[in-house]
Amino acid sequence: MGLIGGETYLRPDWTEIIAAIRSAGMDCAIQTGGRNLTEERVRAAASAGPQSAGLSIDGLRDVHDFLRGREGSFDATFLALARLRDHGIKTSVNTQINSLSMPQLPEVMERIIDAGVTNWQLALTVAMGNAADRPELLIQPYELLTLMPVLATLHASARDRGVVLQPSNNIGYFGPFESQMRSGTGDDLHWSGCSAGDNVMGIEADGTIKGCPGLPSPYAGGNVRDQSLRQIWLESRALAFTRTRTTDDLWGFCRTCYYASVCMGGCTWTAHSLFGKPGNNPLCHHRAIEMDRAGLRERLVKVEDAPGLPFDHGRFEIVVEPASHPVPRPLARRSLPVIG
């Protein structure tokens, strides 16, 4: 079980939750930004018994601090990594890939390897929350043609140095590096569809059950204060949508794709944050390759702002244009804004 936030350690009973998970015979991992993970808090966590902790490092110092909105966040996270290691807690790093962090990935890997990290999970920045308000940060579909070879090179280098590079559910799919990125062992593995509500679920602080912690409220299956977890899991249609949907639920390019019956439109969280519904995900390596072969590319354009609610998102549209078309200035910008 993974404890995520906000920040788990802001709850006064957070170590009791860790201890309860462990006493029930389950593994426990903490996911944190690490900025205020003090020596006292790390010591208390170690006593409760989590097996691991994952910390977010979203670029080098300038980019990380900008994305976090607080100078000093980068250094504080690396200090937290050292404290966790000193107390015998295995550490990993999570990194979001956006237009600012993408060029820094090789250097980020060097820094986290030096910090003793053994696992590195990468995910594309999703157009939810702050990212919905700054669409220039988002990776464009055609940029996967540049990104994926870089990730494959980093994956091989990390493996040779004893670090597992793990692509998240919104990185892929079915491109030439799919097997390498998914397996880590050379086995013929590939993306097999969104696991939300299939072999994954999220429990919010108020007891709401969702198929994936990142999904917004329409995917809430019920609340454990009102129903048993078993009942929610077996009976909620909102939770079981990945178990019941078919290719008829797909739309756009994904419905016609050769891999449709296996992929089922990629990551639900990514698609919903863009279009308000799942079933069509332009952030797909195979799709970008097919578009490029036809001399085309897809570009995401925001057409509606996020309303400012929890788990909120705006609305985007897909523009299909010639691959040689000049990139509009707001989406081509890679300079770092000033904090504040």
Side-chain angles (χ1 to χ4, degrees):
M1 177 176 286
L3 300 180
I4 62 178
E7 286 292 356
T8 302
Y9 58 71
L10 296 181
R11 286 184 61 110
D13 59 349
W14 73 295
T15 56
E16 296 174 36
I17 294 173
I18 295 172
I21 292 169
R22 298 293 290 123
S23 65
M26 295 185 287
D27 292 343
C28 182
I30 305 166
Q31 297 296 326
T32 172
R35 184 173 183 274
N36 288 306
L37 201 51
T38 62
E39 174 67 24
E40 181 182 5
R41 284 171 170 156
V42 172
R43 188 184 306 112
S47 298
Q51 283 94 340
S52 63
L55 285 84
S56 298
I57 296 175
D58 296 319
L60 298 177
R61 183 178 288 104
D62 58 344
V63 168
H64 179 94
D65 285 1
F66 166 72
L67 294 173
R68 295 284 154 176
R70 182 76 64 173
E71 293 184 9
S73 295
F74 181 84
D75 294 333
T77 302
F78 273 91
L79 181 57
L81 279 170
R83 287 171 174 155
L84 289 161
R85 186 177 64 246
D86 290 344
H87 284 273
I89 299 176
K90 183 179 178 181
T91 57
S92 63
V93 162
N94 314 301
T95 299
Q96 58 169 304
I97 304 174
N98 52 57
S99 64
L100 296 177
S101 65
M102 179 175 157
Q104 297 184 344
L105 293 176
E107 280 192 77
V108 170
M109 189 177 82
E110 293 300 322
R111 291 294 302 268
I112 66 175
I113 289 177
D114 289 344
V117 169
T118 56
N119 291 73
W120 187 26
Q121 185 179 72
L122 296 167
L124 300 181
T125 297
V126 174
M128 184 175 282
N130 289 335
D133 299 329
R134 302 192 68 97
E136 72 273 14
L137 293 177
L138 301 176
I139 294 295
Q140 288 292 328
Y142 59 85
E143 291 181 301
L144 295 175
L145 299 174
T146 301
L147 173 64
M148 293 306 297
V150 171
L151 295 187
T153 299
L154 292 177
H155 182 279
S157 177
R159 181 192 59 222
D160 293 343
R161 299 168 69 179
V163 174
V164 178
L165 188 155
Q166 300 168 295
S168 75
N169 292 334
N170 72 352
I171 291 182
Y173 313 88
F174 298 101
F177 310 113
E178 180 75 5
S179 178
Q180 174 194 347
M181 294 291 293
R182 298 271 170 218
S183 67
T185 62
D187 295 332
D188 187 22
L189 297 180
H190 57 77
W191 168 259
S192 56
C194 176
S195 57
D198 186 7
N199 55 28
V200 172
M201 69 174 176
I203 306 176
E204 294 189 347
D206 65 355
T208 298
I209 303 297
K210 297 189 295 188
C212 169
L215 290 173
S217 55
Y219 295 89
N223 193 295
V224 290
R225 291 185 170 91
D226 305 317
Q227 301 169 274
S228 71
L229 185 57
R230 175 182 290 273
Q231 183 181 9
I232 295 171
W233 183 264
L234 294 178
E235 299 178 6
S236 169
R237 294 180 62 185
L239 202 69
F241 74 97
T242 58
R243 291 174 257 157
T244 59
R245 65 180 176 172
T246 69
T247 53
D248 289 338
D249 297 307
L250 304 181
W251 56 282
F253 182 99
C254 287
R255 182 159 184 162
T256 64
C257 180
Y258 176 82
Y259 299 106
S261 62
V262 178
C263 181
M264 295 302 292
C267 173
T268 299
W269 181 29
T270 301
H272 188 100
S273 69
L274 291 169
F275 310 118
K277 60 181 179 179
N280 188 25
N281 184 356
L283 290 165
C284 163
H285 193 205
H286 165 72
R287 180 165 167 170
I289 291 172
E290 291 296 298
M291 285 285 175
D292 190 59
R293 284 174 178 164
L296 301 171
R297 71 177 182 205
E298 292 180 304
R299 182 164 51 86
L300 295 167
V301 178
K302 190 172 79 166
V303 295
E304 185 177 314
D305 289 337
L309 302 172
F311 294 98
D312 73 348
H313 55 87
R315 186 170 62 86
F316 288 73
E317 289 183 351
I318 301 172
V319 174
V320 179
E321 60 193 12
S324 58
H325 194 279
V327 179
R329 183 176 300 274
L331 294 176
R333 184 169 62 87
R334 293 294 182 267
S335 59
L336 186 67
V338 176
I339 294 177

